[in-house]
Amino acid sequence: MIAAQLLAYYFTELKDDQVKKIDKYLYAMRLSDETLLDIMNRFKKEMKNGLSRDFNPTATVKMLPTFVRSIPDGSEKGDFIALDLGGSSFRILRVQVNHEQNQAVHMESEVYDTPENIMHGSGSQLFDHVAECLGDFMEKKIKDKKLPVGFTFSFPCRQSRIDEAILITWTKRFKASGVEGTDVVKLLDKAIKKRGDYDANIVAVVNDTVGTMMTCGYDDQQCEVGLIIGTGTNACYMEELRHIDLVEGDEGRMCVNTEWGAFGDDGALEDIRTEFDREIDRGSLNPGKQLFEKMVSGMYLGELVRLILVKMAKEGLLFEGRITPELLTRGKFNTSDVSAIEKNKEGLHNAKEILTRLGVEPSDDDCVAVQHVCTIVSFRSANLVAATLGAILSRLRDNKGTPRLRTTVGVDGSLYKTHPQYSRRFHKTLRRLVPDCDVRFLLSESGSGKGAAMVTAVAYRLAEQHRQIEETLAHFSLTKEMLLEVKKRMRAEMELGLGKQTHDKAVVKMLPSFVRSTPDGTENGDFLALDLGGTNFRVLLVKIRSGKKRSVEMHNKIYAIPIEIMQGTGEELFDHIVSCISDFLDYMGIKGPKMPLGFTFSFPCKQTSLDAGILITWTKGFKATDCVGHDVATLLREAIKRREEFDLDVVAVVNDTVGTMMTCAYEEPTCEVGLIVGTGSNACYMEEMKNVETLEGNQGQMCINMEWGAFGDNGCLDDIRTIYDKLVDEFSLNSGKQRYEKMISGMYLGEIVRNILIDFAKRGFLFRGQISEPLKTRGLFQTKYLSQIESDRLALLQVRAILQQLGLNSTCDDSILVKTVCGVVSKRAAQLCGAGMAAVVDKIRENRGLDRLNVTVGVDGTLYKLHPHFSRIMHQTVKELSPKCNVSFLLSEDGSGKGAALITAVGVRLRQEMSS
């Protein structure tokens, strides 16, 4: 017992002594965390250079765009062929994907040899061989079917499409002539056509690393990195398109194939390369290239160990200086030998066997030493790969702007899979280098074959989805001819509204506002204004001063209207309004004198005079009873009487659109049109009295409140209304009414978008086919979100954050589609609004018999003001549809408040002029 313990003690001492000697000898291969962090930062810089248009030509890490824009979402299905060319054997697979049966993937494959003479022969010989093997496979497995083909071509290629790959350089001992600089898809296609006995549709060409990521992405949709550590090594990951200078567009993501094997080819790793690395490189088929790969991959680790053993033996540190022909022969010590020697229990026994095979007659001491050499070489490999992967993960985290990254890495490769310690060491180092990244590693199952099929399946799915999405959104696309037709119909409806015989049946009511003049600058005095048009309403005191220093001074207070009052009785509504006026008069200290008041009442009214307006219908969610058909000025006067606290002179009932025009006309005399595009939409303009058949008198002009929101209520827009417009209308408070408004105004655009998103989710185009509870909520998608999402300054990450706030968990692809939908809906709204406005300005021009009209439109409304593109598209549409009109647009400053006071002031002025 004591003898055994002494032997064990002696052996441990011996082992420790050997380890220390080897550590000292291979000191240059032991890399500190500080060095690894430095390498990580160097690689990060190389990645940035590779992505940059300016630096890519000279970059060693090429960061090649793959044109794979999406990982699998689980809905892929179909029957595919995958070709896998990347080594001395060549595989062909048939991959059947059925997403309905627990994402079942059925694969059958055949392996074909690629003889050395073909690997080193001509390109046409190589691709004739591939075509011949594919023909054999088709004959055995498929017969008379033309299936889509995914081609895994595991060599550095430059791509400008998913079905094209121009070989940059051969690696992995391939040297076929006439292929570098050529599209390998064309070469394969040519070889297949030359045979003529079968047809194949090559849909996608894929790097094996991308295939690994896609295979794992099918099982785990968080997978956004692919890693191979086998015969060769490489990594790919999903990069933000805005950072990839070599590809047009800046929205979404694309898989970038780093081709990191070439890291260091420019000398960036010279300080950590050893004499053994240099000797390996000198004896390789591609000296000076793939230097990082030669330090870390399975093709070279065994050879590195062999060179170290030869040198140590020459210096008498191993095998008592014995050097055998076997030990001097390249390829006699493989990476599989390294793995066998590093096994926990039988490692030393394996070392003895392997070294004996090399004829060096190893002692126990030698076996311990060789095991430690293997450990240092493989540990360095794991550390270096951890540093470069750390750089990728760190970049992903930065791209996402998140303090902590959670992601999945798909991994393949014999070194990672079969070496007993490699993955553990690699994971441990990675955790130290990037502590703020939580990484799940998922082993790939046949990544290069199944992955090619997955890329093809995703490409097929995306192409079909894209077709269906385009088809659906095409209904929102309006040609110039269609817009001219809308303009023509609006003009026809305007004539019907103005006509005495046709007015009652007209949907565009063309209501006289009894505002006969715009301000002339002589208006003077203090006026109250009420502004009722939504869930909040305002009371204002407006002080207008005439003379050289014309000025308008305003004070206001905002009051809420609870929903129970909006939808209660008319008496309750007007009592609430008067209660708020009372509060304001006290607040301003002006309760006493009978002040003139303008009442902005932003609902369809038929005015019988400037100070009387009969409510035609409620809109914007109001439902108060006993108001429709009544004069709102009288309802207000009666409520003031009931309170018995103060009296007011109700001079004018004002529509907010007319108020908008008047506010702008105060600043700009050519302003004769008012437009509101906010929660609702409406327009007004100065019409010749002779055309207003519903009123007596032919002299002068009058502002007509068009109430154009009802355009289309008679079905005249049905040919351009979509199923989504009909859904929004059906579930609105006023179904069948205000149809034009429901296609263009802020209250409804978000609802149109929400209905499209639900439909797209049902069809599997969005949110992985899941319709979340928030998405089912009417009114969830407010129009302000359209404005935010469509902002050019907003990156997709921020779009995702907005969707996240709404309870919608979206991928990058989802965000792109949501942004597209918002853009289509708001563009149509702006164009339709422009078509309506074109009808108005052309009518004014024709009324006056002018060849050319210069006119200003006063505009208000949140959609017009806040949406990033609405105003531009609308202006462009007016310009195209009314080329004989020079139309300027002037933003209104508080049309409903200041405008009401100005109308009141003009009314008081005209009243005084008449009495004098």
Side-chain angles (χ1 to χ4, degrees), residues 43-61:
F43 186 66
K44 222 173 165 183
K45 189 180 172 190
E46 292 289 338
M47 288 166 73
K48 199 172 177 185
N49 288 344
L51 289 168
S52 152
R53 181 179 278 106
D54 296 334
F55 295 106
N56 177 273
T58 55
T60 51
V61 178

Side-chain angles (χ1 to χ4, degrees), residues 43 45 80 108 143 183 236 278 282 319 352 423 461 463 526 529 531 536 549 583 610 615 621 646 695 782 822 843:
F43 186 66
K45 189 180 172 190
F80 307 95
E108 45 187 332
K143 307 253 190 204
D183 178 6
C236 68
R278 292 187 179 92
R282 281 194 298 273
F319 320 131
K352 191 107 180 163
S423 59
R461 168 176 64 78
D526 293 356
D531 175 15
N536 291 328
K549 291 187 176 178
D583 174 79
L610 184 61
L615 177 62
F646 55 87
L695 291 180
Q782 294 166 35
C822 291
K843 178 151 187 9

Side-chain angles (χ1 to χ4, degrees), residues 24 62 148 171 173 175 179 188 289 320 331 339 355 489 854 874:
K24 196 173 177 184
K62 282 299 179 193
T171 56
R173 300 201 178 112
K175 272 285 179 184
V179 183
L188 178 56
K289 292 183 176 177
E320 294 175 349
S339 297
L355 295 170
R489 292 177 197 176
N854 292 315
M874 193 198 89

